Amino acid sequence: MASRSDHGVSRLSTLSVTPAREMDSQRGSDGPGPLSGERDDDKNDDTEEEVEDIICAIDRRGQYLGCSVYIEVEQKLSLMEDITFPGPAFISTLLTQINPTILLYASRMDDSLDDSIKGSEDEQTTPYRISIRPGVEFGYEAAKYKLASLKVGNGCIIPHTPQEDLEILGLEMDGEQNRQENLVRLAAWINISNKVSVGCSGSILAYLQRKKAVEYLPGDPRATTACVAVVEMFSLKDTMFINRDTICSLQIFEDEGHPNFHMQGKGGRGKEGLSLFGILNSTRTKTGYFMLKQWFLRPSLSLPLLQQRHNAVACFLRSQNAHVAAAIGKSLTRIKNIPKVLAALRKGKAKASEWTSILQFSYHCLKIRSLIHELDDNTHLGILIKAQETFDISRLQNVGLLVDNTIDFEDSANQHRVVVKPNIDERLDNLRRTYSGLDSLLCDAARQVAADLPEDVAAILNVVYFPQLGYLIVISADPQTGESNYVGDGWEFQFSTATSFYYKNPQMREMDEYLGDMYGLICDREIELVYELQVEVLKHEDVLIASSHVLSELDCLLSLAEGAAKYKYCHPLMTEENIIEIKRGRLIEKKSRHPLQEQCVSAFIENDAVIHGGVGRSEGVESSEGNSSHENDNSPSMLLLTGPNYSGKSVYLKQVSIAVIVYMAHIGSFVPAVHATIGLTDKILTRIQTRESASRIESAFVIDIQQIALSLHLATRRSLLIIDEFGKGTDVNDGAGLACGVFEHLLNRGVERPKVVAATHFHEIFENGYLTQHPNLFFAHMKILLDDSAEEVSDQITYLYKLEAGRSTSSFGTCCAALNGIDATIVSRAEDLILLAARGEDLTLACLILSDSEKMELEQAEKIAREFLTWDFWKDTEEGGEGKDMRAKLQELLSMAGEY
């Protein structure tokens, strides 16, 4: 018996543990919500990210445009203030800033808006999925009551009733009085007078309900959950206007596809290429990455906010704060995507890795809070104030203790599920003690069963336990026949394997009833305890979400500080005055640089810039009375660049506008300059790059015209316009006339004139006096060195890339052509024609003048022709030449032509 018992114990160790894991994995799909899908795989936690949808709904009613946005991971519904529709191009800009994954819009919207919504890129698909919905889903009244019925902050579980419309979304319907109370409560969240945006929110709620209906079975309470935890308003009033043309032209973002074809496209694992975002992004957290991208997509016009960001970056750059910044950065690397973790808790899909993330988040929040206090000169640091107000020490400690005292992370990793620590629940501890003594219990049961059996049968008998199957007698199979070696009275066959047969007898059933499914009971009790923990942690969801936002902002500021330290950027001076000023001082040279160009060249030539916009009508009155000393009517508002091709004009245009001065300053970054004074700029409008596509039924010139038309329509005195070689692509006279007309129109706006930096090769508008002198017009050119004695055209010019006052008289296109491999004869001919045109001569007549070689060739041809005309064919025939002499004469004539 002893040998049989030992054998039984060894078999138990192999048959009761491995199946337990199998059964546990099966329980994950059938078990209750709080712990469904418990299998933990930390290795794939970061690489296999679920898509976090951002749902955007857009609608237009009359002259008003509305928009609502839902961020799934944060369960936040944001409504935009209704605005007067500025034109189709604005929709493209709005979608660029929101960057949605799903777009909903009403079927009644004008077809002319399709290009703005569906895009006109070269990609075969848009960066978001488009769903055209019936206009009834965007109704104001229904949407208003849907919003009013949301139970925000109460777990979002809303009962389902069979009524139509409101009830199909799982919302309340409590009578007229309750409706009015709900509307009053709703008015505290949003401005319900924004009817178009409220209608858009109704479309989003309808979409969420359809999605829930697909994900869950009928009758599941989660199918009626309106997943909205926060409702708020957002406005574009304090956001700089930048469109796709600006972002593309100035390389704000530059996506590089994955080298593997299967990883390309939407959802692929590409990377950021050489772009402004790419060189400034060194965020450690996922939420910090998303927030920094939003800063880049939505530059701020709030002067206090920008000053707070600049001051924070300056604080982190101080040498005495370097060790604190490094410690904060190290802690940030341990912070996971908490909104996503909390979303997993709400869905009941939290794995051990999620609980680890919450524990680490609580610990590092408190650690970072204390580190921020160690920063030198942090008295007026905005991020410190936010951390003090947001990081609730007692609540964060409570969350950390709850998780740490409940979850056994070591056993969870070993068992691939969430395991509760000992001494948390007496019932669970008793079950575990019984389960741990199961080996000896099975040995005793095997002895009792074998006592009444023949000795040869007792030697091959065993008793094992399977989770969910209970206790079983095991008899080995006969290797000859494959049948069971023994079947006792009252034994009920369960299943068999290649080597064993499994049975139940009354004693095994008695053990099932008395002991039960031990492993299942343990798992079920742990599920209950983890659910209780989940409920307690979600009570602190507000402080966890708020703390995550503060840490994301801190991550962004550290990232900008690291970029400023790495590339030696300076603190810009932000002002309400309408000015961009980077100039030389008496003691120090104050110059600006291009952050991307200097990464690609061995040496970058720095240049200055000074440009003022109009003072405005109200400020113009103060200026005339002498109250405004910085802005005046004679300040340059338009900088017009001329100069050779290849001399750096386009780089300078980008440098002055976004990449160095205005754009970086308005996201809160330091700028590539020694000194910079930047006035608030509401829009950056560009005509730099022509984005042609087979899907656009316009020529390159028409696209350029559309860009200029949009710029003229949207420009205000605080706008910055960048115009590079406008007018190309059509007749030179038409192009020059259009360019001149645009420049004059912008200058003649008076005190409402915008800031303009333009480059042109139309020298005739200056030489012929088409563009008259203006006190706010400043000419500049890129300096070069000319060497007329050089034999090769390519050696006649040296580019210095230095900005100087005054105009250039030539674009030196032939030198650029020679430098880039155009044949010397072509270049020489082009120079001759350019010289003739410069003299004002008729190029048609000039083309009739022959060179010496052409004259000699023409004279020889004339001589041969005259010789041929002197022949008398009839006479030669009558004298009997009969063609032979004729052929000889022709050969002689042709030989003369060959000599020439």
Side-chain angles (χ1 to χ4, degrees):
M1 293 293 295
S3 61
R4 290 193 298 270
S5 299
D6 295 338
H7 178 69
V9 171
S10 64
R11 290 292 299 273
L12 173 66
S13 63
T14 59
L15 292 179
S16 64
V17 177
T18 303
R21 291 183 180 177
E22 295 174 356
M23 294 300 176
D24 183 45
S25 65
Q26 294 175 4
R27 289 178 62 85
S29 60
D30 298 328
L35 205 62
S36 62
E38 294 176 339
R39 189 168 179 81
D40 185 17
D41 192 357
D42 292 334
K43 294 181 180 179
N44 296 330
D45 184 56
D46 294 329
T47 56
E48 296 183 2
E49 293 279 349
E50 294 182 2
V51 177
E52 300 171 358
D53 283 333
I54 299 176
I55 307 170
C56 175
I58 291 179
D59 191 19
R60 178 188 177 189
R61 286 181 177 268
Q63 62 177 341
Y64 292 105
L65 179 73
C67 175
S68 292
V69 181
Y70 175 76
I71 302 176
E72 183 179 36
V73 69
E74 300 179 11
Q75 294 191 334
K76 180 168 68 176
L77 180 63
S78 303
L79 283 73
M80 184 182 77
E81 294 181 357
D82 290 352
I83 61 173
T84 303
F85 184 59
F90 178 81
I91 295 181
S92 175
T93 299
L94 182 63
L95 294 176
T96 299
Q97 294 185 351
I98 295 174
N99 196 24
T101 59
I102 299 172
L103 176 63
L104 312 175
Y105 75 96
S107 57
R108 64 168 177 266
M109 288 185 68
D110 192 347
D111 292 341
S112 63
L113 303 179
D114 281 353
D115 287 343
S116 299
I117 292 175
K118 298 179 180 178
S120 55
E121 307 294 332
D122 292 331
E123 292 88 353
Q124 295 181 355
T125 59
T126 59
Y128 40 78
R129 301 196 304 274
I130 296 176
S131 178
I132 304 175
R133 305 304 307 166
V136 67
E137 288 191 4
F138 292 81
Y140 169 68
E141 292 296 332
K144 182 174 64 174
Y145 287 110
K146 292 173 189 176
L147 288 173
S149 300
L150 288 174
K151 289 184 176 181
V152 177
N154 293 333
C156 304
I157 304 298
I158 299 174
H160 177 70
T161 62
Q163 300 181 32
E164 297 293 330
D165 199 13
L166 298 181
E167 287 73 20
I168 196 172
L169 291 170
L171 306 176
E172 289 184 331
M173 190 76 168
D174 299 331
E176 186 62 28
Q177 182 178 357
N178 217 359
R179 284 188 181 186
Q180 296 303 322
E181 293 176 357
N182 290 341
L183 289 177
V184 172
R185 180 166 55 95
L186 177 63
W189 301 336
I190 62 172
N191 183 0
I192 58 176
S193 63
N194 296 282
K195 295 186 176 182
V196 186
S197 292
V198 170
C200 292
S201 67
S203 176
I204 290 178
L205 292 175
Y207 175 86
L208 293 176
Q209 179 59 27
R210 289 194 300 272
K211 183 178 179 182
K212 290 291 182 181
V214 173
E215 290 180 351
Y216 298 100
L217 295 174
D220 193 323
R222 290 172 293 181
T224 60
T225 301
C227 298
V228 179
V230 180
V231 179
E232 65 179 16
M233 295 291 297
F234 75 93
S235 172
L236 301 178
K237 181 179 179 181
D238 293 330
T239 302
M240 177 192 287
F241 179 93
I242 53 172
N243 56 16
R244 291 181 182 176
D245 290 326
T246 300
I247 290 176
C248 181
S249 299
L250 300 164
Q251 288 184 257
I252 305 304
F253 301 100
E254 187 71 29
D255 293 330
E256 288 188 359
H258 197 280
N260 185 345
F261 174 79
H262 298 285
M263 298 301 297
Q264 294 178 6
K266 185 165 56 178
R269 299 178 186 175
K271 67 174 183 177
E272 190 70 26
L274 180 62
S275 65
L276 188 61
F277 180 75
I279 66 173
L280 291 180
N281 174 38
S282 56
T283 52
R284 281 92 168 169
T285 65
K286 197 75 172 178
T287 53
Y289 172 87
F290 290 138
M291 179 175 286
L292 185 62
K293 196 162 189 177
Q294 287 303 309
W295 287 10
F296 273 74
L297 287 171
R298 303 176 189 176
S300 177
L301 296 180
S302 172
L303 190 59
L305 175 62
L306 294 175
Q307 290 173 341
Q308 285 183 9
R309 292 179 184 177
H310 290 145
N311 292 337
V313 172
C315 181
F316 289 129
L317 287 177
R318 294 190 182 98
S319 58
Q320 58 268 36
N321 292 332
H323 67 288
V324 179
I328 293 175
K330 186 176 181 181
S331 290
L332 286 173
T333 58
R334 307 299 299 274
I335 300 296
K336 300 298 182 182
N337 191 346
I338 290 300
K340 184 177 180 180
V341 171
L342 294 175
L345 259 66
R346 289 192 296 267
K347 296 177 180 178
K349 296 182 179 180
K351 301 178 290 186
S353 59
E354 272 78 21
W355 293 112
T356 302
S357 300
I358 293 176
L359 178 62
Q360 291 182 344
F361 179 81
S362 303
Y363 169 75
H364 288 288
C365 273
L366 298 174
K367 182 178 180 180
I368 289 173
R369 188 182 190 277
S370 63
L371 286 171
I372 294 177
H373 283 277
E374 298 179 15
L375 292 170
D376 185 62
D377 193 17
N378 61 8
T379 308
H380 303 291
L381 196 61
I383 192 67
L384 173 61
I385 298 173
K386 288 183 180 179
Q388 289 176 332
E389 295 176 350
T390 306
F391 294 168
D392 190 320
I393 297 177
S394 61
R395 295 181 68 183
L396 289 173
Q397 286 177 339
N398 188 25
V399 170
L401 289 173
L402 281 172
V403 176
D404 189 45
N405 292 337
T406 304
I407 306 300
D408 190 330
F409 294 101
E410 184 176 353
D411 276 356
S412 296
N414 294 334
Q415 298 188 34
H416 301 279
R417 63 183 183 86
V418 181
V419 178
V420 177
K421 282 185 174 182
N423 303 321
I424 298 297
D425 181 76
E426 182 178 359
R427 177 185 167 190
L428 178 62
D429 292 340
N430 292 334
L431 290 172
R432 284 175 172 171
R433 279 193 292 269
T434 303
Y435 185 73
S436 62
L438 200 58
D439 289 358
S440 60
L441 181 64
L442 293 177
C443 291
D444 293 340
R447 293 190 189 98
Q448 294 176 11
V449 174
D452 300 330
L453 300 178
E455 184 174 351
D456 58 333
V457 175
I460 59 174
L461 180 140
N462 196 3
V463 174
V464 296
Y465 165 74
F466 279 102
Q468 298 185 0
L469 295 180
Y471 303 90
L472 301 171
I473 297 174
V474 184
I475 297 294
S476 62
D478 188 338
Q480 301 294 330
T481 64
E483 299 293 333
S484 174
N485 284 313
Y486 182 82
V487 179
D489 294 336
W491 288 16
E492 182 181 345
F493 173 75
Q494 299 296 308
F495 64 91
S496 65
T497 64
T499 59
S500 303
F501 284 76
Y502 296 82
Y503 300 91
K504 274 188 181 294
N505 69 352
Q507 186 177 353
M508 296 299 104
R509 296 190 181 282
E510 183 180 351
M511 292 177 65
D512 288 342
E513 294 178 1
Y514 179 75
L515 297 176
D517 184 0
M518 296 299 300
Y519 189 81
L521 293 173
I522 291 173
C523 290
D524 289 344
R525 185 54 185 162
E526 285 182 328
I527 287 174
E528 294 172 0
L529 293 174
V530 172
Y531 179 75
E532 293 174 3
L533 172 65
Q534 172 183 314
V535 172
E536 289 298 318
V537 170
L538 287 177
K539 290 180 181 179
H540 305 280
E541 182 178 5
D542 56 340
V543 71
L544 294 175
I545 290 292
S547 300
S548 176
H549 283 304
V550 173
L551 291 182
S552 300
E553 183 176 350
L554 181 62
D555 194 12
C556 294
L557 294 172
L558 275 177
S559 178
L560 295 178
E562 290 181 6
K566 182 177 181 180
Y567 301 114
K568 298 180 175 58
Y569 294 165
C570 83
H571 188 163
L573 175 62
M574 301 298 296
T575 176
E576 291 280 359
E577 295 181 83
N578 196 10
I579 180 175
I580 298 175
E581 185 171 325
I582 306 99
K583 62 180 182 180
R584 295 174 183 266
R586 293 182 179 179
L587 301 178
I588 185 171
E589 288 189 347
K590 304 177 181 180
K591 302 177 180 180
S592 63
R593 316 189 309 268
H594 191 293
L596 300 181
Q597 188 72 17
E598 66 181 356
Q599 306 300 316
C600 305
V601 295
S602 57
F604 184 81
I605 307 301
E606 303 168 348
N607 283 295
D608 308 336
V610 178
I611 187 169
H612 296 242
V615 296
R617 300 189 185 282
S618 59
E619 296 179 23
V621 174
E622 296 178 0
S623 178
S624 63
E625 297 175 356
N627 295 330
S628 179
S629 60
H630 199 60
E631 291 185 318
N632 57 78
D633 288 341
N634 294 325
S635 302
S637 63
M638 179 180 291
L639 178 61
L640 195 52
L641 293 180
T642 56
N645 296 101
Y646 202 61
S647 61
K649 297 189 299 300
S650 295
V651 171
Y652 180 78
L653 293 181
K654 300 174 186 179
Q655 163 194 328
V656 172
S657 61
I658 282 204
V660 176
I661 304 301
V662 179
Y663 184 86
M664 292 178 67
H666 281 75
I667 63 174
S669 171
F670 280 19
V671 299
V674 179
H675 174 78
T677 301
I678 310 299
L680 290 178
T681 303
D682 62 354
K683 301 179 186 72
I684 296 177
L685 306 165
T686 62
R687 204 328 302 157
I688 294 178
Q689 188 176 34
T690 303
R691 298 190 300 143
E692 296 184 75
S693 170
S695 62
R696 299 185 69 168
I697 315 175
E698 296 106 357
S699 66
F701 178 68
V702 171
I703 295 173
D704 291 353
I705 289 291
Q706 291 173 348
Q707 291 176 339
I708 284 292
L710 178 66
S711 299
L712 296 178
H713 176 69
L714 297 178
T716 67
R717 69 181 186 89
R718 287 198 173 274
S719 302
L720 176 61
L721 275 65
I722 310 300
I723 304 173
D724 191 9
E725 299 183 22
F726 171 65
K728 62 183 181 181
T730 186
D731 179 77
V732 63
N733 294 322
D734 293 343
L738 284 170
C740 183
V742 169
F743 298 151
E744 285 188 343
H745 169 77
L746 294 171
L747 287 169
N748 291 335
R749 287 192 177 186
V751 293
E752 296 297 328
R753 62 188 181 276
K755 301 179 288 289
V756 182
V757 185
T760 184
H761 288 289
F762 291 126
H763 298 279
E764 52 267 40
I765 66 177
F766 313 119
E767 302 296 343
N768 299 329
Y770 299 149
L771 184 61
T772 58
Q773 288 292 333
H774 194 282
N776 304 119
L777 175 61
F778 181 78
F779 292 103
H781 68 280
M782 305 307 290
K783 188 177 180 180
I784 59 172
L785 291 180
L786 292 175
D787 184 6
D788 296 332
S789 62
E791 295 182 0
E792 297 293 334
V793 177
S794 58
D795 297 332
Q796 293 177 359
I797 186 171
T798 302
Y799 299 100
L800 301 181
Y801 306 106
K802 182 66 179 176
L803 186 72
E804 287 196 346
R807 292 191 294 104
S808 173
T809 58
S810 174
S811 295
F812 297 95
T814 55
C815 295
C816 183
L819 286 171
N820 289 277
I822 298 298
D823 188 83
T825 57
I826 299 175
V827 174
S828 177
R829 180 58 174 165
E831 288 188 328
D832 293 339
L833 295 176
I834 291 171
L835 183 60
L836 292 173
R839 293 173 182 171
E841 298 183 14
D842 189 343
L843 292 181
T844 303
L845 295 176
C847 290
L848 298 178
I849 300 176
L850 303 178
S851 63
D852 293 339
S853 60
E854 289 174 333
K855 289 179 181 179
M856 183 180 296
E857 184 178 353
L858 184 59
E859 290 174 357
Q860 298 299 333
E862 183 181 1
K863 185 178 180 181
I864 294 172
R866 291 185 181 279
E867 178 69 22
F868 180 74
L869 293 175
T870 59
W871 290 0
D872 189 345
F873 293 96
W874 294 107
K875 182 179 179 182
D876 293 341
T877 304
E878 292 176 355
E879 293 177 355
E882 296 183 358
K884 181 176 180 181
D885 294 339
M886 185 66 67
R887 284 195 295 270
K889 281 189 174 187
L890 286 174
Q891 289 177 358
E892 180 181 355
L893 190 64
L894 292 175
S895 63
M896 291 174 58
E899 293 176 1
Y900 301 136

